[in-house]
């Protein structure tokens, strides 16, 4: 597959030849063939999967058409924990060339494995991601995703090289050096988490570097939720186009889905990752267009196939064709997970709603934290938000005005008033990877 992609005149990656543009019937044929193979592989090599199929009286031959996928059992995060570390591997360790792990929030990490072929497919889908975001051979990519057990760093690294870009493996952190290299190496594209990039933008300004005047034009961001308001902020401050990319370790890492030039939804690389949307309560499949939990099946993974993995990420499939010409389907941006919701005075609240509100109010900075506590059996919510130095120095009028407008904006979106703590710039810890937006102290002492 990879060789077919390396076919432009200069030996570079040629996106138009990628499976992104396969006619739908051909794509469905590829998917069915791969689905049958991956189910057979998992049945043969993964004890947990085989016993679940046996319990239901199913065999790999039960998959005759794509819709039959709905007969298969789900895989959930606890399955990975329960079989820690290697219980879901379908390849012998001698064929596994890479392990990654994600810490999760509690307990044992999730371990994921790749054969050489898996790494090649991952590199290919990441190259397709970068191509969809407008990158070409010759671009200079600063890769500020963390290298290590996190899939972001190495996933983007191999994808950038496969595309034919020049990759700078700087990893996350050391922000002053990041800014120096953006300038000195004439970096044209950069990838990291959106929260880390907001920090870079802020630091560049402190150092007197105007990112808008540098060749940096493409920002590729993912690994955590971020709003359109945050996108506008980033694009204006850095003079770039900011793209959203999505993925998760259990499925491969980054490279599962990516925006294209239209920035209207993320194309799912569905020749390798088969998407379904289900009702998170009942597990029933939902029709295209309806919002629910994203479930993904890896169609080509060898070392660790995932069948109907429940991602907990909430989205919907966009049915209209995309103006970019890609035929692979799109999903809406992930604004929330089914497990990051909290309930305050009976109202469901998601962190992204708070972000959306504060980005609408002038005088605030996109650095915030949500603090949950419990008093007398009742959940309390406080939002800590940094304000600009100008607002902060104008304590009486400036602060009160911002507080009033922010309280209204939040109330407008979530329906309740929250306690607001306006703090001076640089009070809230900056992240070099995924930002910690919610501090939950409800179960402390
Ligand atoms: O975050 C893989 C990745 C690296 C994706 C770099 C994109 C860029 P995990 O650490 O396993 O893997 O976390 C996966 O992060 O289930 C989502 O909840 C969240 N997530 C990832 N991308 C996005 C995004 C990597 N673009 C979990 N928008 C997923 C919102 C995202 N949430």
């Amino acid at each position: 597959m990879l060789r077919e992609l390396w076919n432009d005149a200069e030996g570079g990656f040629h996106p138009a030849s990628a499976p992104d543009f396969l006619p739908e019937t051909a794509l469905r044929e590829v998917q069915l063939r791969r689905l049958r193979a991956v189910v057979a592989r998992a049945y043969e090599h993964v004890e947990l999967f085989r016993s679940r199929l046996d319990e239901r009286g199913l065999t790999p031959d039960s998959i005759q058409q794509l819709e039959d996928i709905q007969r298969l059992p789900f895989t959930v995060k606890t399955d990975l924990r329960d079989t820690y570390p290697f219980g879901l591997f379908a390849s012998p360790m001698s064929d596994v060339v890479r392990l990654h792990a994600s810490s999760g929030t509690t307990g044992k990490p999730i371990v994921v494995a790749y054969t050489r072929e898996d790494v090649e497919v991952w590199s290919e889908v990441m190259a397709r991601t970068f191509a969809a975001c407008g990158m070409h051979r010759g671009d200079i990519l600063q890769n500020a995703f963390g290298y290590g057990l996190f899939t972001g760093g190495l996933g983007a690294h191999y994808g950038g090289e496969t595309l034919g870009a020049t990759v700078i493996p700087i990893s996350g952190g050391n922000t002053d050096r990041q800014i120096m290299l953006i300038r000195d190496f004439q970096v044209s594209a950069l990838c990291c988490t959106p929260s880390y990039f907001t920090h870079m933008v802020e630091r560049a300004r402190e150092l007197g570097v105007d990112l808008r005047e540098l060749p940096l034009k493409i920002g590729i961001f993912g690994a955590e939720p971020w709003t359109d308001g945050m996108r506008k902020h980033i694009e204006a401050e850095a003079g770039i186009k900011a793209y959203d990319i999505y993925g998760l370790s259990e499925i491969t890492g980054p490279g599962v889905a990516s925006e294209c030039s239209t920035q209207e939804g993320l194309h799912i690389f569905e020749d390798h990752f088969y998407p379904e949307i289900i009702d998170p309560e009942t597990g029933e499949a939902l029709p295209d267009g309806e919002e629910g939990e994203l479930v993904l099946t890896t169609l080509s993974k060898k070392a660790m196939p995932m069948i109907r993995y429940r991602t907990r990420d909430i989205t919907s499939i966009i049915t209209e064709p995309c103006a970019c010409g890609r035929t692979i389907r799109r999903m809406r941006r992930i604004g929330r997970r089914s497990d990051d919701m909290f309930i305050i005075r009976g109202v469901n609240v998601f962190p992204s709603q708070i972000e959306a509100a504060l980005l609408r109010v002038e005088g605030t900075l996109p650095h915030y934290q949500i603090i949950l506590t419990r008093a007398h059996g009742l959940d309390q919510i406080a939002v800590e938000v940094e304000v600009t130095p100008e607002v902060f120095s104008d304590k009486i009028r400036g602060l009160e005005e911002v507080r009033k407008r922010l309280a209204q904006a939040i109330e407008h979106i979530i329906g309740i008033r929250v306690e607001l703590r306006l703090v001076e710039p640089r009070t809230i810890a900056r992240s070099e990877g995924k930002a910690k937006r919610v501090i939950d102290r409800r179960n402390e002492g």
Side-chain angles (χ1 to χ4, degrees):
M1 174 61 72
L2 210 51
R3 205 154 295 124
E4 291 162 29
L5 301 173
W6 285 82
N7 67 355
D8 76 356
E10 286 153 15
F13 180 88
H14 192 267
S17 67
D20 299 21
F21 297 87
L22 269 183
E24 191 183 336
T25 41
L27 179 60
R28 300 286 170 255
E29 275 168 29
V30 170
Q31 288 176 323
L32 179 58
R33 183 165 34 84
R34 290 185 176 167
L35 176 65
R36 290 175 54 106
V38 81
V39 170
R41 185 179 179 83
Y43 188 79
E44 194 177 334
H45 298 289
V46 184
E47 168 68 37
L48 179 97
F49 185 66
R50 184 171 48 249
S51 60
R52 284 186 180 166
L53 250 60
D54 288 346
E55 275 165 25
R56 290 168 169 74
L58 296 171
T59 69
D61 268 343
S62 310
I63 303 291
Q64 292 296 326
Q65 48 187 359
L66 273 176
E67 291 68 36
D68 290 333
I69 197 171
Q70 289 174 20
R71 302 173 65 189
L72 298 173
F74 293 118
T75 308
V76 293
K77 198 161 214 140
T78 47
D79 292 331
L80 282 97
R81 295 227 163 88
D82 295 345
T83 55
Y84 174 87
F86 307 143
L88 294 184
F89 290 11
S91 296
M93 201 53 100
S94 52
D95 288 342
V96 171
V97 299
R98 179 100 62 83
L99 298 177
H100 279 282
S102 102
S103 59
T105 39
T106 48
K108 295 273 195 211
I110 303 285
V111 183
V112 292
Y114 307 77
T115 64
R116 193 169 301 282
E117 225 180 307
D118 292 336
V119 172
E120 275 185 21
V121 169
W122 188 16
S123 308
E124 177 208 306
V125 287
M126 271 311 287
R128 287 161 65 185
T129 293
F130 288 136
C133 299
M135 276 179 58
H136 301 99
R137 182 178 191 206
D139 266 312
I140 300 183
L141 172 68
Q142 184 148 322
N143 182 12
F145 278 124
Y147 281 63
L149 288 177
F150 175 54
T151 52
L154 283 172
H157 183 101
Y158 278 60
E161 289 188 350
T162 300
L163 179 76
T166 306
V167 181
I168 306 169
I170 190 166
S171 191
N174 206 336
T175 310
D176 288 7
R177 190 169 57 174
Q178 302 266 2
I179 291 156
M180 183 179 84
L181 295 196
I182 295 175
R183 192 186 49 202
D184 295 353
F185 290 3
Q186 300 279 292
V187 167
S188 57
L190 182 145
C191 55
C192 63
T193 59
S195 57
Y196 186 44
F197 193 67
T198 55
H199 175 39
M200 262 189 226
V201 165
E202 170 187 61
R203 185 69 189 137
R205 179 167 287 195
E206 283 170 8
L207 294 172
V209 176
D210 188 348
L211 294 176
R212 290 168 299 191
E213 287 172 0
L214 299 181
L216 183 65
K217 286 290 161 283
I218 299 173
I220 294 147
F221 305 113
E224 63 185 2
W226 53 305
T227 56
D228 274 329
M230 185 70 95
R231 182 195 329 249
K232 285 202 191 85
H233 168 83
I234 286 174
E235 290 190 331
E237 292 282 311
I240 60 170
K241 200 158 167 176
Y243 295 89
D244 188 19
I245 68 169
Y246 168 83
L248 62 166
S249 320
E250 296 88 324
I251 296 303
T252 199
V256 173
S258 168
E259 281 187 334
C260 62
S261 55
T262 68
Q263 293 178 311
E264 286 169 8
L266 289 82
H267 290 280
I268 304 166
F269 298 109
E270 57 172 325
D271 49 322
H272 293 295
F273 314 111
Y274 188 81
E276 298 170 83
I277 303 289
I278 62 160
D279 180 328
E281 304 294 328
T282 64
E284 289 295 314
L286 294 174
D288 281 358
E290 271 187 45
E291 190 178 83
E293 179 180 342
L294 176 66
V295 170
L296 290 165
T297 297
T298 59
L299 294 177
S300 49
K301 213 71 188 314
K302 293 284 191 290
M304 199 169 141
M306 276 290 135
I307 310 289
R308 302 197 85 200
Y309 184 70
R310 290 189 62 160
T311 66
R312 302 262 159 208
D313 294 321
I314 304 293
T315 182
S316 59
I317 300 287
I318 302 175
T319 46
E320 299 83 51
C322 184
C324 77
R326 282 179 178 73
T327 46
I328 48 173
R329 283 174 292 176
R330 286 174 295 164
M331 63 177 199
R332 295 206 159 70
R333 297 182 69 192
I334 309 275
R336 59 192 175 96
R337 292 174 56 80
S338 59
D339 51 10
D340 69 0
M341 185 186 84
F342 40 88
I343 301 176
I344 303 291
R345 282 167 254 149
V347 176
N348 299 351
V349 181
F350 292 95
S352 55
Q353 295 176 303
I354 305 282
E355 179 175 306
L358 72 93
L359 279 156
R360 279 184 204 166
V361 175
E362 227 172 286
T364 62
L365 295 170
H367 303 289
Y368 66 98
Q369 239 165 16
I370 298 161
I371 298 138
L372 302 176
T373 50
R374 187 169 289 148
H376 314 296
L378 282 181
D379 287 348
Q380 315 281 332
I381 175 174
V383 179
E384 211 168 80
V385 184
E386 287 183 14
V387 292
T388 59
E390 298 77 42
V391 168
F392 197 76
S393 57
D394 183 7
K395 285 209 170 38
I396 315 267
R397 272 180 309 128
L399 271 184
E400 274 326 300
E401 186 58 31
V402 168
R403 184 189 305 282
K404 207 171 87 199
R405 278 190 279 130
L406 189 53
Q408 274 170 358
I410 293 178
E411 191 175 355
H412 183 70
I413 291 182
I414 64 175
I416 52 169
R417 291 225 154 206
V418 303
E419 182 196 335
L420 277 178
R421 297 178 197 156
L422 303 185
V423 295
E424 69 182 304
R426 290 288 190 171
T427 311
I428 295 168
R430 301 290 185 258
S431 87
E432 294 172 354
K434 297 180 192 246
K436 192 162 173 47
R437 301 292 193 200
V438 182
I439 312 276
D440 194 344
R441 301 210 173 105
R442 285 176 296 181
N443 292 320
E444 286 174 13

